[in-house]
């Protein structure tokens, strides 16, 4: 199925961090930093409990673009700054916009905000190949 | 106390990792939002591409086999970054550390059975606004020596 893209195209991807997602992601990724799995350590760090791994949020930003282009194998580059942790029970809305199409590459900018409207990523850019 | 800039250039690795088929599927499904139960990775959420978990669908697709979700690379490419943070001579205070920035470049798809070797080194150490920044740059190559993933990992160490 041929699909064409244009600069200015937008897309939205919503993900929920369910209560145990940091624990599930710890097992899948091997990131067992106690701040992600031990609520007491999370409280000592100044949170209400555990926080989600930033690299999981990065993965979701990549996923938002992979779903938009229809093929996860086309992702070529991702760059993000982590501005705020995602907490269990948070809903994160990813909004993407195509900013450039050149040299067989599609460049998208992605914002990610929690249900309070606070950004959890800054300056996120994901590039994919077009074919 | 600021991190000593003399550690710029310090190398970590090589670290070798072989991609296992089930681990790759587990990562893709869990990241995608599946809810695991005892002995299963859970049902695939609708938005997750079958190229990531279904051998049958993947064989009919462009890659001939299931592929890794791109950010699966963090599972193995993080090792030099973790080693730098744990390096007693560098002296990072882990309690004050947060992951500040991340860049990953994918030069090819990753498949089950790939044997990948990651090396990395500290490329920047600086202080800004009272915080220490530790930057580790990594490169992962396949068994043929071809680059597969490059990473730039930035840790921020907040003031005490």
């Amino acid at each position: 199925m041929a699909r064409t893209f244009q600069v200015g195209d937008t897309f939205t991807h919503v993900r929920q961090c369910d209560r145990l997602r940091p624990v599930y992601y710890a097992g899948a990724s091997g990131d067992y930093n106690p701040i992600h799995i031990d609520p007491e350590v999370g409280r000592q760090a100044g949170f209400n409990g555990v926080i989600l791994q930033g690299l999981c949020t990065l993965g979701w930003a990549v996923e938002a673009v992979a779903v938009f282009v229809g093929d996860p194998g086309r992702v070529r580059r991702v760059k993000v700054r982590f501005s705020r942790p995602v907490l269990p029970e948070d809903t994160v809305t990813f909004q993407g916009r195509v900013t450039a199409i050149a040299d067989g590459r599609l460049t998208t900018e992605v914002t990610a905000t929690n249900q309070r409207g606070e950004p959890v990523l800054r300056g996120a850019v994901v590039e994919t190949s077009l074919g | 106390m600021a991190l000593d800039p003399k550690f710029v250039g310090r190398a970590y690795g090589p670290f070798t990792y072989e991609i296992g088929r089930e681990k790759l599927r587990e990562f893709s499904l869990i990241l995608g939002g599946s809810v695991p139960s005892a002995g299963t990775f859970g049902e695939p959420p609708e938005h997750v591409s079958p190229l990531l978990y279904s051998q049958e669908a993947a064989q009919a697709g462009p890659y001939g086999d299931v592929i890794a979700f791109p950010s699966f690379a963090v599972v193995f490419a993080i090792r030099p970054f973790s080693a730098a943070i744990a390096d007693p001579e560098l002296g990072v205070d882990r309690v004050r550390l947060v992951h500040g920035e991340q860049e990953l470049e994918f030069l090819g798809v990753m498949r089950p059975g790939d044997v990948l070797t990651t090396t990395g080194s500290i490329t920047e150490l600086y202080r800004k606004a009272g915080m220490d920044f530790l930057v580790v740059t990594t490169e992962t190559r396949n068994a043929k020596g071809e680059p597969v993933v490059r990473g730039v990992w930035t840790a921020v160490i907040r003031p005490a």
Side-chain angles (χ1 to χ4, degrees):
Chain A
M1 183 180 70
R3 166 91 188 266
T4 57
F5 300 97
Q6 291 188 318
V7 171
D9 283 353
T10 59
F11 54 94
T12 301
H13 189 65
V14 179
R15 292 301 310 273
Q16 280 179 322
C17 178
D18 51 280
R19 196 168 58 84
L20 293 176
R21 192 58 42 184
V23 175
Y24 300 152
Y25 185 81
S29 69
D31 185 346
Y32 289 104
N33 185 326
I35 200 169
H36 304 306
I37 54 177
D38 183 341
E40 185 51 40
V41 173
R43 281 190 283 273
Q44 283 166 15
F47 302 104
N48 200 25
V50 301
I51 61 172
L52 183 68
Q53 291 85 346
L55 289 171
C56 184
T57 314
L58 174 146
W60 290 352
V62 170
E63 184 181 82
V65 178
V67 169
F68 173 65
V69 301
D71 180 354
R74 289 192 191 168
V75 179
R76 290 288 165 264
R77 185 172 164 267
V78 55
K79 183 173 186 176
V80 308
R81 272 192 289 157
F82 302 107
S83 49
R84 187 184 299 272
V86 171
L87 310 175
E89 319 275 6
D90 274 0
T91 299
V92 183
T93 300
F94 296 85
Q95 289 184 305
R97 189 172 70 88
V98 177
T99 56
I101 301 173
D103 303 325
R105 284 250 180 150
L106 182 96
T107 304
T108 56
E109 286 179 1
V110 181
T111 63
T113 52
N114 64 24
Q115 69 278 16
R116 292 174 293 279
E118 301 160 333
V120 297
L121 296 177
R122 282 194 193 278
V125 175
V126 182
E127 294 175 11
T128 67
S129 61
L130 283 170
Chain B
M1 196 175 69
L3 298 173
D4 193 332
K6 78 176 182 191
F7 290 111
V8 169
R10 178 172 279 221
Y12 300 94
F15 301 101
T16 296
Y17 184 92
E18 180 175 344
I19 296 183
R21 186 175 296 277
E22 292 301 316
K23 188 70 191 176
L24 174 160
R25 294 176 66 230
E26 176 190 18
F27 183 89
S28 296
L29 291 171
I30 294 296
L31 181 83
S34 69
V35 178
S37 57
T40 81
F41 305 142
E43 287 300 311
E46 200 185 336
H47 69 264
V48 176
S49 168
L51 299 177
L52 300 171
Y53 63 84
S54 163
Q55 217 152 327
E56 195 182 6
Q59 274 166 358
Y63 307 108
D65 195 352
V66 293
I67 58 169
F69 185 82
S71 76
F72 181 79
V74 303
V75 172
F76 49 83
I78 199 171
R79 294 286 301 280
F81 184 57
S82 305
I85 289 165
D87 186 337
E89 289 185 48
L90 196 62
V92 171
D93 182 352
R94 274 195 256 195
V95 177
R96 295 188 289 129
L97 178 142
V98 293
H99 195 158
E101 297 180 37
Q102 182 65 48
E103 181 171 358
L104 293 166
E105 187 181 4
F106 309 103
L107 298 113
V109 295
M110 297 164 279
R111 296 179 168 84
D114 284 355
V115 177
L116 303 169
T117 301
T118 301
T119 54
S121 62
I122 297 174
T123 43
E124 287 185 76
L125 276 173
Y126 59 94
R127 173 163 274 210
K128 198 168 89 178
M131 297 189 287
D132 280 320
F133 289 74
L134 162 68
V135 183
V136 174
T137 300
T138 62
E139 183 169 80
T140 302
R141 291 177 178 266
N142 64 19
K144 293 181 203 158
E146 300 158 339
V148 178
V149 184
R150 294 193 182 114
V152 183
W153 310 67
T154 304
V156 182
I157 300 115
R158 298 170 295 176

Short mmCIF file of all heavy atoms in Angstrom, two decimals, chain A residues 77-124:
data_model
loop_
_atom_site.label_atom_id
_atom_site.label_comp_id
_atom_site.label_asym_id
_atom_site.label_seq_id
_atom_site.Cartn_x
_atom_site.Cartn_y
_atom_site.Cartn_z
N ARG A 77 16.67 7.41 13.55
CA ARG A 77 17.32 8.25 14.57
C ARG A 77 16.26 8.78 15.51
O ARG A 77 15.13 9.07 15.09
CB ARG A 77 18.02 9.42 13.87
CG ARG A 77 18.83 10.31 14.79
CD ARG A 77 19.64 11.32 13.97
NE ARG A 77 20.09 12.39 14.84
CZ ARG A 77 19.44 13.53 15.04
NH1 ARG A 77 18.31 13.78 14.41
NH2 ARG A 77 19.94 14.42 15.86
N VAL A 78 16.63 8.89 16.78
CA VAL A 78 15.77 9.53 17.77
C VAL A 78 16.64 10.36 18.69
O VAL A 78 17.76 9.96 19.03
CB VAL A 78 14.94 8.49 18.57
CG1 VAL A 78 15.82 7.44 19.22
CG2 VAL A 78 14.07 9.16 19.63
N LYS A 79 16.14 11.52 19.06
CA LYS A 79 16.85 12.36 20.02
C LYS A 79 15.81 13.01 20.92
O LYS A 79 14.85 13.59 20.43
CB LYS A 79 17.66 13.43 19.29
CG LYS A 79 18.49 14.28 20.25
CD LYS A 79 19.41 15.23 19.50
CE LYS A 79 20.31 15.95 20.50
NZ LYS A 79 21.29 16.81 19.85
N VAL A 80 16.01 12.89 22.23
CA VAL A 80 15.06 13.48 23.18
C VAL A 80 15.80 14.06 24.38
O VAL A 80 16.91 13.65 24.70
CB VAL A 80 14.02 12.46 23.72
CG1 VAL A 80 13.32 11.71 22.62
CG2 VAL A 80 14.67 11.48 24.69
N ARG A 81 15.13 15.02 25.03
CA ARG A 81 15.54 15.46 26.37
C ARG A 81 14.42 15.12 27.33
O ARG A 81 13.24 15.38 27.05
CB ARG A 81 15.79 16.98 26.39
CG ARG A 81 17.21 17.34 26.00
CD ARG A 81 17.51 18.78 26.32
NE ARG A 81 16.80 19.66 25.42
CZ ARG A 81 16.50 20.94 25.69
NH1 ARG A 81 16.83 21.47 26.86
NH2 ARG A 81 15.87 21.67 24.82
N PHE A 82 14.79 14.53 28.46
CA PHE A 82 13.79 14.15 29.45
C PHE A 82 13.54 15.34 30.36
O PHE A 82 14.45 15.83 31.03
CB PHE A 82 14.28 12.96 30.27
CG PHE A 82 14.61 11.76 29.42
CD1 PHE A 82 15.92 11.38 29.20
CD2 PHE A 82 13.60 11.02 28.82
CE1 PHE A 82 16.23 10.29 28.41
CE2 PHE A 82 13.91 9.92 28.02
CZ PHE A 82 15.23 9.55 27.81
N SER A 83 12.31 15.86 30.37
CA SER A 83 12.07 17.07 31.15
C SER A 83 11.31 16.80 32.44
O SER A 83 11.33 17.63 33.34
CB SER A 83 11.34 18.12 30.31
OG SER A 83 10.24 17.57 29.66
N ARG A 84 10.63 15.67 32.53
CA ARG A 84 9.81 15.39 33.71
C ARG A 84 9.51 13.90 33.72
O ARG A 84 9.24 13.33 32.67
CB ARG A 84 8.51 16.19 33.57
CG ARG A 84 7.59 16.18 34.76
CD ARG A 84 6.32 16.94 34.40
NE ARG A 84 6.61 18.34 34.06
CZ ARG A 84 6.67 19.32 34.95
NH1 ARG A 84 6.42 19.07 36.21
NH2 ARG A 84 6.95 20.54 34.56
N PRO A 85 9.54 13.27 34.88
CA PRO A 85 9.26 11.83 34.89
C PRO A 85 7.79 11.51 34.63
O PRO A 85 6.91 12.31 34.95
CB PRO A 85 9.67 11.37 36.29
CG PRO A 85 9.96 12.58 37.09
CD PRO A 85 9.89 13.79 36.21
N VAL A 86 7.55 10.35 34.04
CA VAL A 86 6.20 9.82 33.91
C VAL A 86 5.94 8.94 35.12
O VAL A 86 6.81 8.14 35.52
CB VAL A 86 6.07 9.01 32.60
CG1 VAL A 86 4.74 8.27 32.54
CG2 VAL A 86 6.22 9.93 31.39
N LEU A 87 4.76 9.11 35.72
CA LEU A 87 4.42 8.38 36.94
C LEU A 87 3.35 7.33 36.65
O LEU A 87 2.58 7.48 35.70
CB LEU A 87 3.89 9.36 38.00
CG LEU A 87 4.75 10.61 38.26
CD1 LEU A 87 4.05 11.55 39.24
CD2 LEU A 87 6.12 10.20 38.80
N PRO A 88 3.29 6.28 37.47
CA PRO A 88 2.20 5.30 37.30
C PRO A 88 0.85 6.01 37.33
O PRO A 88 0.68 6.96 38.10
CB PRO A 88 2.37 4.38 38.52
CG PRO A 88 3.83 4.49 38.85
CD PRO A 88 4.22 5.91 38.54
N GLU A 89 -0.06 5.56 36.47
CA GLU A 89 -1.40 6.12 36.30
C GLU A 89 -1.41 7.37 35.42
O GLU A 89 -2.46 7.94 35.17
CB GLU A 89 -2.11 6.46 37.64
CG GLU A 89 -1.93 5.44 38.74
CD GLU A 89 -2.92 4.29 38.70
OE1 GLU A 89 -3.70 4.21 37.73
OE2 GLU A 89 -2.90 3.46 39.64
N ASP A 90 -0.24 7.80 34.93
CA ASP A 90 -0.20 8.94 34.01
C ASP A 90 -0.66 8.51 32.62
O ASP A 90 -0.44 7.37 32.20
CB ASP A 90 1.23 9.51 33.87
CG ASP A 90 1.57 10.53 34.95
OD1 ASP A 90 0.72 10.82 35.81
OD2 ASP A 90 2.71 11.03 34.93
N THR A 91 -1.27 9.45 31.91
CA THR A 91 -1.59 9.27 30.49
C THR A 91 -0.71 10.25 29.72
O THR A 91 -0.69 11.44 30.02
CB THR A 91 -3.07 9.59 30.23
OG1 THR A 91 -3.87 8.69 30.99
CG2 THR A 91 -3.41 9.43 28.74
N VAL A 92 0.03 9.71 28.75
CA VAL A 92 0.95 10.56 27.98
C VAL A 92 0.43 10.66 26.55
O VAL A 92 0.15 9.65 25.90
CB VAL A 92 2.38 9.98 27.99
CG1 VAL A 92 3.33 10.92 27.24
CG2 VAL A 92 2.87 9.76 29.42
N THR A 93 0.28 11.90 26.09
CA THR A 93 -0.18 12.14 24.73
C THR A 93 1.00 12.61 23.88
O THR A 93 1.65 13.61 24.21
CB THR A 93 -1.29 13.21 24.71
OG1 THR A 93 -2.39 12.73 25.51
CG2 THR A 93 -1.79 13.46 23.28
N PHE A 94 1.28 11.85 22.84
CA PHE A 94 2.35 12.19 21.90
C PHE A 94 1.72 12.84 20.69
O PHE A 94 0.79 12.27 20.09
CB PHE A 94 3.12 10.92 21.48
CG PHE A 94 3.83 10.25 22.64
CD1 PHE A 94 3.16 9.35 23.45
CD2 PHE A 94 5.15 10.54 22.92
CE1 PHE A 94 3.80 8.75 24.52
CE2 PHE A 94 5.80 9.94 23.99
CZ PHE A 94 5.12 9.04 24.80
N GLN A 95 2.22 14.01 20.34
CA GLN A 95 1.73 14.68 19.14
C GLN A 95 2.90 14.92 18.22
O GLN A 95 3.90 15.53 18.63
CB GLN A 95 1.03 15.98 19.51
CG GLN A 95 -0.31 15.68 20.20
CD GLN A 95 -1.11 16.92 20.51
OE1 GLN A 95 -0.61 17.82 21.16
NE2 GLN A 95 -2.34 16.95 20.02
N GLY A 96 2.79 14.41 17.01
CA GLY A 96 3.89 14.51 16.06
C GLY A 96 3.52 15.36 14.87
O GLY A 96 2.34 15.51 14.53
N ARG A 97 4.56 15.92 14.26
CA ARG A 97 4.36 16.73 13.08
C ARG A 97 5.55 16.52 12.15
O ARG A 97 6.69 16.52 12.59
CB ARG A 97 4.28 18.21 13.45
CG ARG A 97 3.84 19.13 12.32
CD ARG A 97 3.61 20.54 12.86
NE ARG A 97 4.86 21.17 13.24
CZ ARG A 97 5.63 21.88 12.41
NH1 ARG A 97 5.25 22.04 11.15
NH2 ARG A 97 6.74 22.42 12.82
N VAL A 98 5.25 16.29 10.87
CA VAL A 98 6.33 16.12 9.89
C VAL A 98 6.92 17.50 9.61
O VAL A 98 6.20 18.43 9.23
CB VAL A 98 5.80 15.49 8.59
CG1 VAL A 98 6.91 15.40 7.54
CG2 VAL A 98 5.21 14.11 8.87
N THR A 99 8.24 17.62 9.82
CA THR A 99 8.88 18.93 9.62
C THR A 99 9.75 18.97 8.38
O THR A 99 10.07 20.05 7.91
CB THR A 99 9.75 19.30 10.84
OG1 THR A 99 10.69 18.25 11.06
CG2 THR A 99 8.90 19.49 12.09
N ALA A 100 10.16 17.83 7.86
CA ALA A 100 11.00 17.83 6.66
C ALA A 100 10.90 16.49 5.96
O ALA A 100 10.75 15.45 6.63
CB ALA A 100 12.45 18.13 7.00
N ILE A 101 10.97 16.52 4.65
CA ILE A 101 11.09 15.30 3.85
C ILE A 101 12.18 15.58 2.82
O ILE A 101 12.02 16.45 1.97
CB ILE A 101 9.76 14.94 3.14
CG1 ILE A 101 8.65 14.73 4.17
CG2 ILE A 101 9.94 13.70 2.27
CD1 ILE A 101 7.27 14.53 3.56
N ALA A 102 13.31 14.89 2.96
CA ALA A 102 14.43 15.14 2.05
C ALA A 102 15.36 13.94 2.07
O ALA A 102 15.52 13.29 3.10
CB ALA A 102 15.19 16.40 2.48
N ASP A 103 15.98 13.67 0.92
CA ASP A 103 16.98 12.61 0.81
C ASP A 103 16.47 11.26 1.33
O ASP A 103 17.19 10.53 2.00
CB ASP A 103 18.26 13.00 1.57
CG ASP A 103 18.84 14.33 1.07
OD1 ASP A 103 18.73 14.58 -0.15
OD2 ASP A 103 19.37 15.09 1.89
N GLY A 104 15.22 10.96 1.05
CA GLY A 104 14.65 9.69 1.47
C GLY A 104 14.37 9.59 2.96
O GLY A 104 14.12 8.50 3.48
N ARG A 105 14.42 10.73 3.63
CA ARG A 105 14.20 10.75 5.08
C ARG A 105 12.99 11.61 5.44
O ARG A 105 12.79 12.67 4.85
CB ARG A 105 15.41 11.37 5.78
CG ARG A 105 16.56 10.44 5.86
CD ARG A 105 16.78 10.01 7.29
NE ARG A 105 17.92 9.10 7.33
CZ ARG A 105 18.72 8.98 8.36
NH1 ARG A 105 18.53 9.71 9.44
NH2 ARG A 105 19.70 8.11 8.33
N LEU A 106 12.28 11.13 6.43
CA LEU A 106 11.15 11.87 6.97
C LEU A 106 11.53 12.29 8.40
O LEU A 106 11.90 11.45 9.21
CB LEU A 106 9.95 10.92 7.02
CG LEU A 106 8.63 11.48 7.49
CD1 LEU A 106 7.79 11.88 6.29
CD2 LEU A 106 7.88 10.44 8.29
N THR A 107 11.47 13.59 8.66
CA THR A 107 11.81 14.10 10.00
C THR A 107 10.54 14.54 10.70
O THR A 107 9.72 15.25 10.11
CB THR A 107 12.79 15.28 9.90
OG1 THR A 107 13.93 14.86 9.16
CG2 THR A 107 13.22 15.76 11.28
N THR A 108 10.37 14.09 11.93
CA THR A 108 9.19 14.48 12.70
C THR A 108 9.61 15.07 14.03
O THR A 108 10.61 14.65 14.63
CB THR A 108 8.28 13.27 12.99
OG1 THR A 108 9.05 12.28 13.66
CG2 THR A 108 7.69 12.69 11.74
N GLU A 109 8.87 16.06 14.49
CA GLU A 109 9.03 16.58 15.84
C GLU A 109 7.88 16.03 16.66
O GLU A 109 6.73 16.02 16.20
CB GLU A 109 9.01 18.11 15.85
CG GLU A 109 10.30 18.69 15.28
CD GLU A 109 10.29 20.21 15.24
OE1 GLU A 109 9.28 20.82 15.67
OE2 GLU A 109 11.28 20.76 14.76
N VAL A 110 8.19 15.60 17.86
CA VAL A 110 7.18 14.95 18.72
C VAL A 110 7.16 15.64 20.07
O VAL A 110 8.20 15.84 20.69
CB VAL A 110 7.51 13.46 18.91
CG1 VAL A 110 6.44 12.79 19.77
CG2 VAL A 110 7.62 12.74 17.56
N THR A 111 5.97 16.03 20.51
CA THR A 111 5.83 16.52 21.88
C THR A 111 5.15 15.43 22.69
O THR A 111 4.38 14.62 22.16
CB THR A 111 4.98 17.80 21.96
OG1 THR A 111 3.66 17.49 21.49
CG2 THR A 111 5.57 18.92 21.11
N ALA A 112 5.45 15.39 23.97
CA ALA A 112 4.83 14.40 24.86
C ALA A 112 4.43 15.12 26.13
O ALA A 112 5.27 15.71 26.82
CB ALA A 112 5.82 13.28 25.17
N THR A 113 3.14 15.08 26.44
CA THR A 113 2.65 15.76 27.65
C THR A 113 1.81 14.80 28.47
O THR A 113 1.14 13.91 27.93
CB THR A 113 1.79 16.99 27.30
OG1 THR A 113 0.79 16.58 26.37
CG2 THR A 113 2.61 18.11 26.67
N ASN A 114 1.85 15.00 29.78
CA ASN A 114 1.01 14.18 30.65
C ASN A 114 -0.40 14.78 30.75
O ASN A 114 -0.69 15.81 30.11
CB ASN A 114 1.69 13.99 32.03
CG ASN A 114 1.85 15.30 32.79
OD1 ASN A 114 1.12 16.27 32.55
ND2 ASN A 114 2.80 15.32 33.72
N GLN A 115 -1.25 14.15 31.54
CA GLN A 115 -2.66 14.57 31.60
C GLN A 115 -2.84 15.93 32.28
O GLN A 115 -3.92 16.51 32.22
CB GLN A 115 -3.51 13.50 32.29
CG GLN A 115 -3.27 13.32 33.78
CD GLN A 115 -2.06 12.43 34.08
OE1 GLN A 115 -1.22 12.17 33.21
NE2 GLN A 115 -1.95 11.96 35.31
N ARG A 116 -1.77 16.44 32.90
CA ARG A 116 -1.83 17.78 33.48
C ARG A 116 -1.29 18.83 32.50
O ARG A 116 -1.15 19.99 32.85
CB ARG A 116 -1.02 17.82 34.79
CG ARG A 116 -1.65 17.00 35.92
CD ARG A 116 -0.76 16.94 37.16
NE ARG A 116 0.47 16.20 36.91
CZ ARG A 116 0.56 14.86 36.93
NH1 ARG A 116 -0.51 14.13 37.21
NH2 ARG A 116 1.70 14.26 36.69
N GLY A 117 -0.95 18.37 31.30
CA GLY A 117 -0.45 19.30 30.27
C GLY A 117 1.03 19.61 30.41
O GLY A 117 1.54 20.51 29.75
N GLU A 118 1.72 18.88 31.28
CA GLU A 118 3.15 19.14 31.51
C GLU A 118 3.99 18.32 30.53
O GLU A 118 3.74 17.13 30.35
CB GLU A 118 3.53 18.75 32.94
CG GLU A 118 2.76 19.50 34.00
CD GLU A 118 2.77 18.81 35.36
OE1 GLU A 118 2.91 17.56 35.40
OE2 GLU A 118 2.63 19.51 36.37
N PRO A 119 5.00 18.95 29.91
CA PRO A 119 5.83 18.19 28.96
C PRO A 119 6.73 17.18 29.68
O PRO A 119 7.35 17.50 30.69
CB PRO A 119 6.68 19.27 28.28
CG PRO A 119 6.67 20.44 29.21
CD PRO A 119 5.40 20.36 30.00
N VAL A 120 6.77 15.96 29.17
CA VAL A 120 7.67 14.94 29.73
C VAL A 120 8.90 14.74 28.86
O VAL A 120 9.88 14.14 29.29
CB VAL A 120 6.92 13.60 29.98
CG1 VAL A 120 5.82 13.80 31.01
CG2 VAL A 120 6.37 13.02 28.70
N LEU A 121 8.83 15.20 27.61
CA LEU A 121 9.99 15.20 26.71
C LEU A 121 10.10 16.60 26.13
O LEU A 121 9.09 17.28 25.94
CB LEU A 121 9.83 14.20 25.56
CG LEU A 121 9.74 12.72 25.87
CD1 LEU A 121 9.52 11.94 24.58
CD2 LEU A 121 10.98 12.22 26.59
N ARG A 122 11.35 16.97 25.81
CA ARG A 122 11.54 18.25 25.11
C ARG A 122 12.37 18.01 23.86
O ARG A 122 13.26 17.18 23.85
CB ARG A 122 12.29 19.24 26.01
CG ARG A 122 11.41 19.86 27.06
CD ARG A 122 12.09 21.07 27.69
NE ARG A 122 11.40 21.49 28.90
CZ ARG A 122 10.30 22.26 28.89
NH1 ARG A 122 9.80 22.68 27.75
NH2 ARG A 122 9.73 22.60 30.03
N GLY A 123 12.06 18.78 22.82
CA GLY A 123 12.88 18.76 21.61
C GLY A 123 13.00 17.39 20.97
O GLY A 123 14.03 17.08 20.39
N ALA A 124 11.96 16.57 21.09
CA ALA A 124 12.07 15.21 20.55
C ALA A 124 11.99 15.22 19.02
O ALA A 124 11.07 15.80 18.44
CB ALA A 124 10.99 14.32 21.13
#
